[in-house]
Structures are given as structure tokens and as C-alpha cells.
């Protein structure tokens, strides 16, 4: 849990710096796939979305 808090903190700090995006930090810190999967889960409320089916088919 502390690791997720730290990762979120790093994303927030990156968003506050002009020219740096939170997505860049997610990719550089190596948790991009976990982040995208959690967004898909949240968006679909636990069921697979059409985007997930099309990309991971």
C-alpha cells in the first residue's frame, strides 16, 4: 500500500511540473500496465470493457 501511495505522489508531483506528464512517470517507474488495468477495471466496474476486449482479445 505504501508503494501505491508513493507512486501516486510521484504522478501528482510530475503533473505539477511544466512539460512533464504523470503518464511519463508511470511508464518510467514501470507500473504502466498495472495502472492501465486498474483504470479499465474502474471504468468497467469490474467487467471487461470493449477497449480491453479489442486490445487484448
Amino acid at each position: 500500500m505504501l508503494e501505491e501511495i508513493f507512486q501516486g505522489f510521484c504522478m501528482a508531483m510530475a503533473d505539477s511540473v511544466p512539460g512533464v506528464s504523470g503518464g511519463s512517470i508511470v511508464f518510467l517507474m514501470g507500473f504502466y500496465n498495472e495502472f492501465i488495468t486498474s483504470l479499465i477495471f474502474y471504468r468497467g466496474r469490474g467487467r471487461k470493457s470493449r477497449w480491453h476486449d479489442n486490445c487484448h482479445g
Side-chain angles (χ1 to χ4, degrees), residues 36-51:
I36 295 298
T37 302
S38 66
L39 290 178
I40 292 169
F41 181 82
Y42 177 75
R43 182 174 176 251
R45 304 277 194 257
R47 47 180 213 278
K48 288 185 178 179
S49 67
R50 276 187 243 140
W51 181 84

Side-chain angles (χ1 to χ4, degrees), residues 7 25-34:
Q7 292 169 342
I25 297 301
V26 168
F27 181 74
L28 291 173
M29 291 182 71
F31 63 99
Y32 182 81
N33 287 334
E34 181 181 342

